[in-house]
């Protein structure tokens, strides 16, 4: 019996998927590959740029799904008093079900020609954008689910020389916010606009502050591994920069080709390797932020230990631009390790996935860097809708799949650990089948399946997305209950970061339908709250969940958050209608 198990394990680490992924399909594979008999080694960033589902320019063959968003202007009897004596009809916008209405704050001013001229004096003509095409893209999120109506986009740029010959001042951001605060002009900071909860686009006519031009690396300390950069740096560019320095970013996302570090920090993005490197609350050492009144808060520390007073940076990590605009970040980056292995495994049920996770933590320990799970429905959708995706186990299909990545510095030791883990797991019946990648192409093909799920779901039709933290043992129960609840009206998919209890619950339908949504919400939030989970694991609150915060936070905690908001942004101009319940936030 043991001999048969060993043969099965030997098959697991064989060259089974040598032809699984044709490297000519992906132009990103341009760097050298170091092959070893039991796995592979690659350099982060340069050698592997996994498929990015968040395309900046999607081809015509990609189906775009439009959420049934209704917006209109109601002219009510009388007038609403606004800042500086202006009056408007009250605008309302409906998101999701017809009962969820958002009303424009009547105390916010509307942009006028004097404002435009003032911003041109500060930023220059080319950085004050009124072009309809540019505004159309900035007003819409990448899923085409949330749509604003901003008439103005501002592009602050830095003007002083930094350590690498780059600009490092945030005078323009400070001047913009100071003026907007005095005029009661609402603003929305925008990075790569890859969010999923409507946090980075206007709801109505807020001024968009685009951070993409503040994209300089200010300094990097090779001894400590501490990187200081501006908020507009694209995550993938930072990954490439650090790769050349022999380091890696502790954060890795499917959207890395478009998302920006300021947005990552502002949403406390989690990503694929949080199980190894932890959250941004632990990796961000300092930051610089501009408050609503233009005050610059310099908290850009580069010390791992600083126990002087309140650690205010944590207020801005995850606050989604509602307390201040993050302009610079100091982040601790780990050294790049040379030995990386990726295994794609099949399991018979969710309980086996759970047990496999427990065994991986015990047997792989410090080298475990990712533990992702995919259910059969998600896997099947990828095979049917994602270009270049192929079944690693043709023609077999399984109930669940697990992607495991290990990262270490000793190829021999890592190989021994991984093979012992695989053998033990197969003997215990936790693994039904599996493949260990033999080179970078195979590794990337596995990650392509996992990272390509959002794109595949978008191509399949309309989708309702929920990002939840739930205790591991209960996590898949919600998926199964939702299938019973919805029956044949929708396809319910479950996948995510099993290593840190993060479920991505996706519900795919032919088109958006209020009757289906009414079956999903508030049930999904009530179920999560009942099981002591969080309604937002890593995507943030944004507009989508602002009025759902009570499902995860006590009334006292939410009230305190509202008090902090009013203290730092008394006029409520920073990313309004987001993060906090509308009942707590109003313009003073």
């Amino acid at each position: 019996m043991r001999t048969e198990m060993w043969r099965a394990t030997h098959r697991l680490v064989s060259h089974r998927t040598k032809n699984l992924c044709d490297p000519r399909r992906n132009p990103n594979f341009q760097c050298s590959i170091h092959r070893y008999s039991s796995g592979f080694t690659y350099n982060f960033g340069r050698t592997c740029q996994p498929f990015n589902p968040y395309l900046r320019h999607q081809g015509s063959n990609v189906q775009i799904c439009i959420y049934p968003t209704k917006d209109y202007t109601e002219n009510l009897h009388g007038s609403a008093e606004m800042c500086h004596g202006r009056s408007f009809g009250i605008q309302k916008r409906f998101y999701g079900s017809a009962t969820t209405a958002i009303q424009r704050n009547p105390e916010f001013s509307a942009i006028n020609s004097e404002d435009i001229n003032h911003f041109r004096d500060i930023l220059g003509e080319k950085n004050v954008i009124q072009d309809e095409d540019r505004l159309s893209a900035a007003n819409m999120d990448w899923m085409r689910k949330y749509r604003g109506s901003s008439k103005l986009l501002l592009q602050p740029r830095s003007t002083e020389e930094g350590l690498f010959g780059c600009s490092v001042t945030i005078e323009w951001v400070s001047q913009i916010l100071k003026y907007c605060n005095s005029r009661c002009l609402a603003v929305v900071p925008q990075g790569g606009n890859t969010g999923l909860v409507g946090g980075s686009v206007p709801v109505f006519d807020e001024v968009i502050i685009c951070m993409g031009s503040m994209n300089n690396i200010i300094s990097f300390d090779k001894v400590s591994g501490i990187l200081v950069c501006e908020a507009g740096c694209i995550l993938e560019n930072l990954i490439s920069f650090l790769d050349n320095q022999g380091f890696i970013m502790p954060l890795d996302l499917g959207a890395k080709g478009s998302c920006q570090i300021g947005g990552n920090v502002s949403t406390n993005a989690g990503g694929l390797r949080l199980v190894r490197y932890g959250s941004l609350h632990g990796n961000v050492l300092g930051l610089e932020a501009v408050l609503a009144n233009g005050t610059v808060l310099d908290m850009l520390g580069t010390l791992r230990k600083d126990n002087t007073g309140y650690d205010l940076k944590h207020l801005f990590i995850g606050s989604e631009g509602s307390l201040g605009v993050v302009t610079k970040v100091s982040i601790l980056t780990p050294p790049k390790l040379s030995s990386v292995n990726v295994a794609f495994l099949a399991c018979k049920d969710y309980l086996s996935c759970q047990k496999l996770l427990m065994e991986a933590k015990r047997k792989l320990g410090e080298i475990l860097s990712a533990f992702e799970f995919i259910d059969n429905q998600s896997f099947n959708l990828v095979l049917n809708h994602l270009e270049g995706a192929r079944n690693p186990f043709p023609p077999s299909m399984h109930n669940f799949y697990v992607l495991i990545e290990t990262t270490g510095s000793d190829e021999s030791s890592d190989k021994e650990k991984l093979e012992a883990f695989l053998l033990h797991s197969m003997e215990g019946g936790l693994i039904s089948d599996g493949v260990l990648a033999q080179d970078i192409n195979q590794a990337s093909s596995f990650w392509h399946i996992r990272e390509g799920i959002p794109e595949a779901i978008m191509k399949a039709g309309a989708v309702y997305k929920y990002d939840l933290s739930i205790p591991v043992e209960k996590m898949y129960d919600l998926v199964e209950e939702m299938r019973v609840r919805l029956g044949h009206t929708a396809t319910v998919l479950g996948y995510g970061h099993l290593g840190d209890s993060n479920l991505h619950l996706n519900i795919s339908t032919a088109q958006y339908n209020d009757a289906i949504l009414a079956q999903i919400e508030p049930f999904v939030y009530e179920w999560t709250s009942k099981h002591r989970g969080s309604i937002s694991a890593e995507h943030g609150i944004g507009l989508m969940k602002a009025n759902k915060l009570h499902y995860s936070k006590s009334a006292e905690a939410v009230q305190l958050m509202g008090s902090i908001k009013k203290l730092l942004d008394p006029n409520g101009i920073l990313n309004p209608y987001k993060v906090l319940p509308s009942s707590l936030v109003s313009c003073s």
Side-chain angles (χ1 to χ4, degrees):
M1 178 65 179
R2 187 170 183 84
T3 301
E4 291 175 358
M5 284 294 181
W6 173 251
R7 286 173 179 168
T9 304
H10 183 70
R11 173 175 172 267
L12 187 78
V13 298
S14 71
H15 294 260
R16 174 173 181 172
T17 59
K18 184 165 290 185
N19 298 318
L20 184 64
C21 178
D22 183 352
R24 291 173 295 182
R25 285 183 174 269
N26 190 339
N28 292 332
F29 302 132
Q30 298 174 349
C31 302
S32 61
I33 299 170
H34 303 281
R35 295 181 176 85
Y36 295 87
S37 59
S38 63
F40 67 94
T41 301
Y42 65 91
N43 297 325
F44 283 87
R46 292 187 62 185
T47 49
C48 182
Q49 298 177 20
F51 182 86
N52 180 9
Y54 305 95
L55 300 176
R56 284 184 167 180
H57 304 288
Q58 296 186 6
S60 59
N61 62 324
V62 178
Q63 178 181 346
I64 300 300
C65 304
I66 307 297
Y67 199 84
T69 303
K70 307 172 186 177
D71 53 61
Y72 61 87
T73 302
E74 271 188 352
N75 292 312
L76 304 181
H77 296 292
S79 62
E81 288 296 319
M82 298 184 65
C83 295
H84 305 283
R86 293 176 177 80
S87 62
F88 292 84
I90 296 177
Q91 296 181 359
K92 289 184 180 179
R93 184 149 292 162
F94 289 83
Y95 287 91
S97 65
T99 59
T100 305
I102 300 170
Q103 181 174 291
R104 186 187 187 278
N105 189 330
E107 297 186 23
F108 289 150
S109 297
I111 202 81
N112 60 33
S113 58
E114 291 181 6
D115 300 325
I116 301 297
N117 291 332
H118 181 83
F119 290 128
R120 284 172 177 162
D121 289 341
I122 297 174
L123 304 175
E125 183 82 24
K126 67 179 182 179
N127 296 315
V128 178
I129 310 298
Q130 294 179 284
D131 176 73
E132 289 187 5
D133 290 338
R134 291 285 304 278
L135 285 168
S136 177
N139 270 306
M140 187 85 73
D141 74 312
W142 77 274
M143 289 182 63
R144 307 298 193 265
K145 181 178 178 182
Y146 300 97
R147 181 175 70 248
S149 54
S150 176
K151 303 298 181 185
L152 182 65
L153 183 148
L154 304 177
Q155 290 187 142
R157 297 174 184 269
S158 304
T159 56
E160 293 181 0
E161 294 301 312
L163 295 181
F164 290 173
C166 64
S167 310
V168 293
T169 182
I170 40 100
E171 179 183 353
W172 282 2
V173 177
S174 176
Q175 289 185 43
I176 289 169
L177 291 182
K178 183 177 181 180
Y179 180 81
C180 288
N181 193 55
S182 70
R183 282 274 291 114
C184 210
L185 289 169
V187 302
V188 54
Q190 187 174 95
N193 199 13
T194 59
L196 296 168
V197 292
S200 61
V201 293
V203 178
F204 295 105
D205 57 348
E206 299 89 275
V207 175
I208 301 170
I209 302 178
C210 179
M211 303 301 292
S213 296
M214 300 184 68
N215 57 5
N216 297 301
I217 294 173
I218 298 168
S219 66
F220 180 69
D221 186 340
K222 292 185 178 181
V223 175
S224 64
I226 297 171
L227 173 74
V228 181
C229 64
E230 292 179 315
C233 290
I234 293 173
L235 179 59
E236 190 167 50
N237 292 344
L238 294 178
I239 290 172
S240 296
F241 169 81
L242 289 169
D243 176 73
N244 290 330
Q245 307 295 323
F247 287 79
I248 64 169
M249 282 293 288
L251 177 70
D252 192 6
L253 307 172
K256 59 176 161 278
S258 300
C259 67
Q260 298 171 12
I261 191 63
N264 299 151
V265 170
S266 296
T267 57
N268 189 28
L272 301 166
R273 296 186 175 91
L274 185 141
V275 68
R276 172 69 174 269
Y277 300 111
S279 77
L280 289 175
H281 275 291
N283 290 302
V284 172
L285 300 181
L287 54 80
E288 182 180 74
V290 183
L291 301 184
N293 64 4
T295 298
V296 178
L297 277 185
D298 183 357
M299 303 171 286
L300 201 63
T302 58
L303 302 174
R304 296 190 68 177
K305 287 188 173 182
D306 182 4
N307 204 16
T308 52
Y310 304 130
D311 200 347
L312 296 177
K313 68 175 181 288
H314 291 294
L315 285 177
F316 299 89
I317 301 172
S319 64
E320 303 180 47
S322 65
L323 300 180
V325 178
V326 173
T327 51
K328 298 190 186 80
V329 176
S330 161
I331 188 165
L332 181 66
T333 67
K336 179 175 63 181
L337 303 179
S338 57
S339 172
V340 181
N341 292 279
V342 178
F344 200 85
L345 310 172
C347 298
K348 62 182 179 181
D349 52 33
Y350 180 69
L351 182 60
S352 297
C353 296
Q354 288 184 62
K355 292 180 178 179
L356 193 64
L357 172 62
M358 291 188 293
E359 286 301 302
K361 288 180 176 180
R362 291 190 182 100
K363 299 295 194 304
L364 300 178
E366 73 284 355
I367 65 172
L368 181 65
S369 55
F371 196 103
E372 302 289 305
F373 95 101
I374 304 168
D375 70 4
N376 176 270
Q377 287 80 357
S378 303
F379 187 75
N380 191 54
L381 204 69
V382 167
L383 295 183
N384 289 330
H385 294 280
L386 186 65
E387 183 180 357
R390 301 182 185 180
N391 186 353
F393 317 111
S396 301
M397 295 291 289
H398 300 270
N399 293 328
F400 289 89
Y401 302 88
V402 168
L403 186 153
I404 293 178
E405 181 188 78
T406 63
T407 306
S409 58
D410 188 327
E411 171 63 22
S412 176
S413 175
D414 294 349
K415 171 186 173 182
E416 183 179 342
K417 274 191 175 183
L418 186 55
E419 292 188 347
F421 164 74
L422 295 173
L423 175 61
H424 178 79
S425 299
M426 292 196 77
E427 287 178 336
L430 299 182
I431 299 173
S432 304
D433 205 345
V435 182
L436 184 65
Q438 295 299 301
D439 56 42
I440 187 62
N441 294 334
Q442 292 177 15
S444 190
S445 74
F446 298 161
W447 276 115
H448 179 47
I449 293 170
R450 169 58 186 87
E451 292 186 311
I453 296 174
E455 184 197 353
I457 294 173
M458 285 284 289
K459 288 182 176 181
V463 58
Y464 299 92
K465 302 177 76 70
Y466 299 91
D467 162 54
L468 310 164
S469 274
I470 300 171
V472 172
E473 66 274 11
K474 294 288 185 181
M475 204 161 79
Y476 204 72
D477 290 352
L478 176 58
V479 180
E480 293 175 334
E481 288 193 35
M482 191 61 74
R483 285 182 182 140
V484 173
R485 187 176 179 85
L486 295 177
H488 298 294
T489 62
T491 300
V492 181
L493 308 97
Y495 68 96
H497 316 299
L498 194 64
D500 38 271
S501 305
N502 184 182
L503 171 68
H504 293 312
L505 174 69
N506 283 227
I507 298 165
S508 177
T509 63
Q511 60 186 12
Y512 290 109
N513 184 297
D514 280 349
I516 292 176
L517 182 60
Q519 286 288 96
I520 302 170
E521 297 182 18
F523 173 79
V524 66
Y525 299 124
E526 292 171 347
W527 194 98
T528 302
S529 178
K530 177 183 176 182
H531 292 87
R532 305 289 292 176
S534 169
I535 64 169
S536 179
E538 61 180 3
H539 292 169
I541 295 296
L543 176 64
M544 176 182 175
K545 303 177 184 179
N547 289 318
K548 311 291 194 302
L549 200 57
H550 64 278
Y551 286 109
S552 290
K553 292 290 185 285
S554 68
E556 294 78 10
V558 174
Q559 191 65 45
L560 181 57
M561 292 179 195
S563 299
I564 294 171
K565 168 71 173 175
K566 289 178 181 178
L567 175 66
L568 297 182
D569 180 20
N571 289 333
I573 67 165
L574 292 175
N575 217 6
Y577 322 107
K578 321 281 179 61
V579 184
L580 294 176
S582 55
S583 59
L584 283 181
V585 184
S586 62
C587 192
S588 302

